[in-house]
Amino acid sequence: MEQTDVERIRSEQISIAFRQAFASIFPLFLGALIISILYWDTSLSPYVNVWFVVINITLIWRLWLLIQHKKHPKKYSDLVWEYYFKVVMYISALLWGLSAFFLFQSDDITDQFAIIFIISGISSVASGTLASMFGLSVVFLSFLIAPLFMVMVLHGGLEYQMMGFLVAAYYILLVNASRRIHLNILSALKSKILHEKAAEALALSEEQFETIFKEAPAGIFYYNKDLIVIESNVEMMQILQITRDEMIGLDLKKLPDRSLYDAIFEPISGNKGYYEGSYVTMIHNLQLWITLRTSPIYNAKREIIGGVALVTDITERIQAEEKIKHQAYYDALTDIPNRILLKDRLAQSLAHYRRSKNIVAVMFLDLDHFKSINDSLGHHVGDALLIETAKRLKKICREGDTVSRLGGDEFVILLNELGNDPHIAATKVESVAEKIHEALGSAFDVGLSDTITTSSSIGIAMVTSEIQTADDLLKFADTAMYQAKKEGRNTTRFYQEKMDQWIKHRLFLENALRHAIKNNELELYYQPVIEIATKRIIGAEALLRWNHPELGIVMPDEMITIAEESGLIVPIGEWVLREACRQFVSWRAKNLSQTHIDRIAVNVSAIQFKQNNFVDNVIRIVAETGIMPSMLELELTESTVIDKLDTVIEKMNRLRAAGINLSMDDFGTGYSSLAYLKKLPFTTLKIDRSFVRDIMSDEDDAALVETILSMASIFKFDVIAEGVETIEQFKFLEDHGCQYFQGYLCSKPVQVKYFEELLTHDVQKCTTQSAKNSLQRTSALSI
């Protein structure tokens, strides 16, 4: 038992002893009076009188002590009360034991037996009344009987000596009896405490169960063997949106939705039941998705008397999962399958082709001149055009086909079940392509005063071999589409072997790119970064250009794609980083402007960043060029950092530890940017130009930019807005706390000498007039 229980038992033992002591006071007084009268005329009369007086004093003391304990039990601790009680009882026992010395002072045998009888009676009573305190009982009996034993053995004759030994035996019997009573008292007290504890635990358990039942975040209800609901918690009624009167007494056998009936009936047979799935409620016909767990309920005889059901409404979770799944497999703008779902369905179609030889075709479609429409009429017009294009394509294609968007204005159509004859299949595909040209050639109403007319270039690849993969067909269709564009757009081309010329061209560019660095064909252009508060150039972003001796300027997108696909992006990236750092150090040394520029930004490819030695190479180049690490900023896109997050964070932390700043480029265009933002040690966010473009006309874009700026302020990020072209955009960013911007408002990307001229002539001041002058000047200088 616990220490507190032991202390409580001891306290109860003391209380029992005090209560029992009341009953013996009058008999003790009466016994003392009898002895006093019997020995009144003996030679010991004075001593007997004194003894009688002292006995009565102890009785009065005992009575006072018992009354005090009864009225004021908390006045003293249990130990103090026990001490006082023992003192008075020990004195009383000694006084009564002294009466044995009066035994042979009278020759009257009646007087002698009176003393023996009284002492024996007191002993018998004491063995019971003091048994709760066994130690006290033994001492009391010893003090009381020992003198009688000694007197009878030492001063009496043989008869008395024999009686003395009987008294000793009587003493032993009394001690054993007192011990048994003591053990019974202890057992009773322990049982009482255990019973109280059990009652408290039961009450607590019932209270906890009641609390759990009422407050559980899941629905709970009980039902009997007839499947009638007999009790329910509030959560269950809230899930079903019904009242208690409607819930209690509900007949589960009459549920119109029988999907979960088996799970409800299982407990009646002694089994547990489970159901997860859709469910339509009985009263309000709510469309829910639930989990239901049921178990039998037993009575004290282990007989089944009903069941209990635990219900969880998982509708929101299922809807969220479906939404996430939909977002993962469907294009956010047009709500048609994206690249992931397309490749999955294409893989299935190819597997079906290998079994049945039923031909599959892939159509790669690109809207002609979409970039011009998007740039000239605005982002929202381009989006509207893409949405309407997706709708028209879905109307043309069959239910078993797939219309998907890969990104931008690129659509892919998967055509299934074209038959086993290649010529007939080709005719069917060409017919679909003609319908697409016709549909997309019709005017588009995108909310402008005038409609838009566009066209499409279509490339088609048909499966011709069992070893062809989804990537093969997509690449062939893409190649055919580029061939269609090359031949004048608004046309269709089937993939043919001769289109390998396109691949050869790509190989030619790849080989040329391998020699571009050593042939000094690569060049960096620099676009100023403007501090909004001072309207001064404080840094630059380095942008790569390729001046091919025969082809001229090769477009950056084409060059980067080739570089990444061939792996050349790694040495090219190192060259860009070294050249940008070297040029920056040179500018700082020349002191071209009144205020030093303090940052140079360099874009990093995902492939480049994934190299194991990337961080070491960056730190080495920083040391070799002498640039201060804090003035270098590496720009990473979200696609660069979302794969193998732990490794990415480790690399980024090493770069930050070296003092190098990190910028997230095109922030806001990826669905998971916010999810990673807290984990990744970026120092700067760059708002994508697609959001800045329409902040003055599109409330959603404006709200998004405001949100990004507010969030950046909370996380203490610098923010650079890209693509700022108007004073109005500039003012909006200034008013909402953006620190920096880039854009044609002040300068396009320019060559080194023109960038130095911008610094030297201080044309970066972005007041209304100087901005106009700057734009005119840089337009003339840049390409």
Side-chain angles (χ1 to χ4, degrees):
M1 301 183 73
E2 296 179 1
Q3 182 61 34
T4 54
D5 295 333
V6 174
E7 293 173 357
R8 182 181 172 187
I9 289 174
R10 188 60 180 172
S11 178
E12 289 284 348
Q13 289 176 282
I14 295 170
S15 297
I16 291 172
F18 269 92
R19 290 195 299 271
Q20 297 281 12
F22 271 107
S24 62
I25 291 177
F26 181 73
L28 289 174
F29 170 75
L30 185 60
L33 181 62
I34 291 172
I35 292 175
S36 177
I37 293 172
L38 291 176
Y39 286 87
W40 180 263
D41 57 352
T42 64
S43 60
L44 293 176
S45 178
Y47 299 104
V48 172
N49 291 335
V50 172
W51 176 84
F52 179 72
V53 171
V54 175
I55 282 289
N56 282 288
I57 291 173
T58 60
L59 290 176
I60 293 171
W61 182 17
R62 185 196 297 190
L63 180 63
W64 176 84
L65 185 64
L66 298 180
I67 293 173
Q68 288 296 310
H69 181 269
K70 184 176 183 180
K71 289 184 177 180
H72 310 290
K74 301 298 183 182
K75 184 175 181 180
Y76 304 111
S77 67
D78 290 334
L79 290 176
V80 173
W81 283 119
E82 181 180 2
Y83 172 77
Y84 287 157
F85 187 77
K86 284 181 176 180
V87 169
V88 72
M89 295 309 295
Y90 290 158
I91 294 174
S92 178
L94 286 171
L95 289 172
W96 279 103
L98 290 175
S99 67
F101 293 104
F102 302 155
L103 184 67
F104 294 112
Q105 300 303 317
S106 172
D107 296 330
D108 190 341
I109 194 170
T110 302
D111 297 343
Q112 296 174 359
F113 273 98
I115 290 179
I116 294 172
F117 177 78
I118 290 172
I119 292 177
S120 299
I122 293 172
S123 301
S124 176
V125 172
S127 68
T129 57
L130 300 180
S132 63
M133 301 172 66
F134 180 64
L136 171 61
S137 175
V138 172
V139 174
F140 187 91
L141 291 174
S142 299
F143 285 175
L144 188 63
I145 294 178
L148 180 62
F149 172 77
M150 289 187 295
V151 169
M152 294 180 73
V153 171
L154 298 177
H155 298 286
L158 180 62
E159 298 86 354
Y160 285 100
Q161 290 176 350
M162 295 295 294
M163 290 180 64
F165 287 108
L166 290 176
V167 167
Y170 180 62
Y171 166 79
I172 295 172
L173 290 175
L174 290 179
V175 170
N176 287 331
S178 181
R179 181 175 179 275
R180 286 195 299 272
I181 296 172
H182 173 76
L183 293 176
N184 289 337
I185 291 173
L186 281 181
S187 177
L189 290 175
K190 290 179 180 179
S191 298
K192 177 184 176 182
I193 290 175
L194 292 175
H195 175 74
E196 290 177 354
K197 281 190 167 185
E200 290 175 1
L202 179 60
L204 179 61
S205 176
E206 290 177 350
E207 182 180 353
Q208 290 174 338
F209 177 78
E210 187 71 15
T211 301
I212 292 171
F213 178 72
K214 289 181 178 179
E215 305 297 334
I220 306 173
F221 66 91
Y222 299 99
Y223 53 93
N224 58 24
K225 293 181 70 174
D226 296 325
L227 304 188
I228 304 297
V229 176
I230 56 177
E231 188 55 86
S232 171
N233 68 350
V234 175
E235 182 68 19
M236 187 69 244
M237 293 179 280
Q238 290 178 346
I239 290 173
L240 300 178
Q241 296 183 18
I242 60 177
T243 64
R244 181 175 179 79
D245 292 338
E246 292 172 316
M247 184 66 187
I248 305 303
L250 185 67
D251 190 347
L252 301 176
K253 296 188 296 296
K254 296 181 180 180
L255 293 178
D257 188 339
R258 308 292 289 180
S259 57
L260 45 67
Y261 183 78
D262 290 343
I264 291 176
F265 188 76
E266 281 292 327
I268 308 304
S269 304
N271 302 315
K272 291 185 178 182
Y274 180 79
Y275 170 77
E276 179 174 328
S278 60
Y279 172 67
V280 180
T281 64
M282 180 176 179
I283 296 179
H284 297 302
N285 294 323
L286 301 176
Q287 303 286 331
L288 303 177
W289 195 284
I290 65 169
T291 59
L292 172 75
R293 292 176 173 83
T294 56
S295 298
I297 300 177
Y298 301 90
N299 61 14
K301 298 179 181 179
R302 293 300 292 173
E303 297 171 338
I304 296 174
I305 59 174
V308 58
L310 180 67
V311 179
T312 306
D313 182 359
I314 58 173
T315 305
E316 290 186 1
R317 191 197 80 190
I318 295 297
Q319 290 175 345
E321 290 175 353
E322 290 296 327
K323 184 177 180 180
I324 293 172
K325 183 178 179 181
H326 188 83
Q327 290 174 341
Y329 291 105
Y330 287 83
D331 179 57
L333 178 64
T334 60
D335 201 37
I336 61 176
N338 60 13
R339 181 188 294 271
I340 297 174
L341 184 55
L342 168 69
K343 292 186 71 173
D344 181 68
R345 291 184 179 177
L346 181 51
Q348 294 179 29
S349 297
L350 290 175
H352 179 65
Y353 165 77
R354 296 184 189 104
R355 293 191 301 269
S356 64
K357 302 303 179 185
N358 209 313
I359 295 174
V360 177
V362 172
M363 305 177 69
F364 205 113
L365 180 150
D366 187 275
L367 294 179
D368 297 329
H369 306 295
F370 175 77
K371 187 176 186 304
S372 298
I373 295 172
N374 206 39
D375 291 343
S376 59
L377 299 180
H379 181 66
H380 64 287
V381 174
D383 287 349
L385 179 59
L386 294 173
I387 293 170
E388 183 60 29
T389 298
K391 290 178 180 179
R392 295 186 184 186
L393 293 175
K394 288 171 66 177
K395 288 180 180 179
I396 293 170
C397 296
R398 301 166 299 173
E399 184 176 350
D401 300 329
T402 298
V403 177
S404 65
R405 176 175 176 242
L406 301 189
D409 61 328
E410 294 181 337
F411 294 85
V412 172
I413 302 165
L414 170 61
L415 301 176
N416 294 305
E417 303 294 336
L418 297 175
N420 303 106
D421 189 319
H423 297 290
I424 295 176
T427 301
K428 290 179 180 179
V429 176
E430 191 168 22
S431 175
V432 174
E434 290 175 358
K435 292 178 181 179
I436 292 174
H437 285 303
E438 181 180 353
L440 299 186
S442 301
F444 286 83
D445 184 1
V446 290
L448 301 177
S449 55
D450 297 324
T451 58
I452 295 176
T453 302
T454 186
S455 60
S456 59
S457 299
I458 300 175
I460 301 172
M462 297 174 60
V463 62
T464 58
S465 169
E466 292 186 2
I467 65 172
Q468 287 177 337
T469 65
D471 289 333
D472 290 336
L473 285 183
L474 288 172
K475 183 174 70 173
F476 294 159
D478 185 24
T479 301
M481 185 273 293
Y482 274 106
Q483 187 67 25
K485 277 189 174 295
K486 188 177 180 182
E487 296 183 12
R489 296 184 172 87
N490 194 26
T491 188
T492 301
R493 288 292 178 267
F494 282 83
Y495 175 77
Q496 298 174 6
E497 294 298 328
K498 67 178 183 180
M499 290 180 182
D500 288 341
Q501 293 177 359
W502 170 255
I503 298 176
K504 291 178 180 179
H505 175 69
R506 294 287 291 260
L507 290 174
F508 168 76
L509 289 178
E510 180 181 329
N511 290 329
L513 191 57
R514 293 183 185 277
H515 303 286
I517 297 178
K518 68 178 182 180
N519 293 339
N520 295 321
E521 296 172 7
L522 298 181
E523 181 181 7
L524 291 184
Y525 279 42
Y526 297 90
Q527 185 172 33
V529 176
I530 313 299
E531 185 176 32
I532 291 179
T534 62
K535 304 177 182 63
R536 286 185 171 276
I537 298 174
I538 54 87
E541 178 182 1
L543 300 167
L544 182 62
R545 298 291 186 266
W546 181 15
N547 300 309
H548 192 276
E550 298 176 10
L551 303 177
I553 295 291
V554 179
M555 297 303 294
D557 289 346
E558 184 179 17
M559 172 181 55
I560 296 300
T561 300
I562 295 172
E564 289 184 334
E565 290 177 354
S566 63
L568 292 172
I569 193 67
V570 175
I572 290 175
E574 289 190 17
W575 179 87
V576 170
L577 179 60
R578 180 178 284 101
E579 181 63 18
C581 292
R582 184 199 61 76
Q583 184 61 66
F584 181 81
V585 171
S586 174
W587 283 333
R588 294 276 296 181
K590 290 181 180 179
N591 195 19
L592 298 172
S593 62
Q594 297 177 4
T595 304
H596 275 304
I597 58 174
D598 60 10
R599 74 171 67 183
I600 183 72
V602 178
N603 291 281
V604 175
S605 163
I607 296 174
Q608 184 183 1
F609 185 81
K610 290 177 182 178
Q611 299 300 307
N612 293 332
N613 61 348
F614 172 75
V615 176
D616 294 332
N617 287 341
V618 171
I619 295 174
R620 174 174 50 80
I621 291 172
V622 167
E624 290 174 356
T625 57
I627 188 173
M628 291 181 62
S630 61
M631 295 183 177
L632 173 61
E633 184 171 85
L634 302 182
E635 294 190 7
L636 309 174
T637 61
E638 184 180 350
S639 61
T640 303
V641 299
I642 61 175
D643 187 31
K644 296 182 179 178
L645 192 59
D646 293 340
T647 302
V648 168
I649 292 175
E650 188 270 335
K651 286 185 177 181
M652 294 178 71
N653 284 333
R654 287 184 60 197
L655 291 169
R656 290 292 299 122
I660 298 166
N661 294 313
L662 301 172
S663 169
M664 178 177 273
D665 199 11
D666 301 335
F667 180 75
T669 58
Y671 74 91
S672 59
S673 294
L674 293 177
Y676 292 109
L677 196 57
K678 290 177 64 177
K679 299 180 180 179
L680 301 173
F682 285 108
T683 56
T684 306
L685 304 180
K686 297 192 74 173
I687 302 176
D688 188 69
R689 66 182 69 250
S690 62
F691 301 123
V692 175
R693 181 191 303 119
D694 299 320
I695 55 175
M696 305 310 299
S697 58
D698 189 318
E699 293 182 357
D700 290 340
D701 282 351
L704 181 58
V705 171
E706 289 182 34
T707 301
I708 293 173
L709 290 170
S710 298
M711 179 190 60
S713 176
I714 294 172
F715 290 108
K716 295 181 174 55
F717 291 126
D718 288 341
V719 180
I720 301 175
E722 297 180 302
V724 178
E725 299 179 1
T726 67
I727 288 295
E728 289 75 20
Q729 294 169 347
F730 172 83
K731 290 294 185 184
F732 178 93
L733 295 168
E734 183 179 33
D735 292 342
H736 289 87
C738 183
Q739 295 102 325
Y740 310 99
F741 80 92
Q742 292 173 245
Y744 288 7
L745 176 63
C746 282
S747 175
K748 297 179 180 179
V750 294
Q751 293 172 299
V752 172
K753 60 180 179 180
Y754 297 127
F755 186 82
E756 292 179 352
E757 188 172 342
L758 289 174
L759 295 176
T760 304
H761 292 85
D762 195 26
V763 298
Q764 68 269 31
K765 276 284 191 175
C766 286
T767 59
T768 303
Q769 185 58 43
S770 63
K772 185 184 296 183
N773 295 338
S774 175
L775 180 58
Q776 292 172 351
R777 183 178 186 87
T778 54
S779 296
L781 294 176
S782 60
I783 296 177

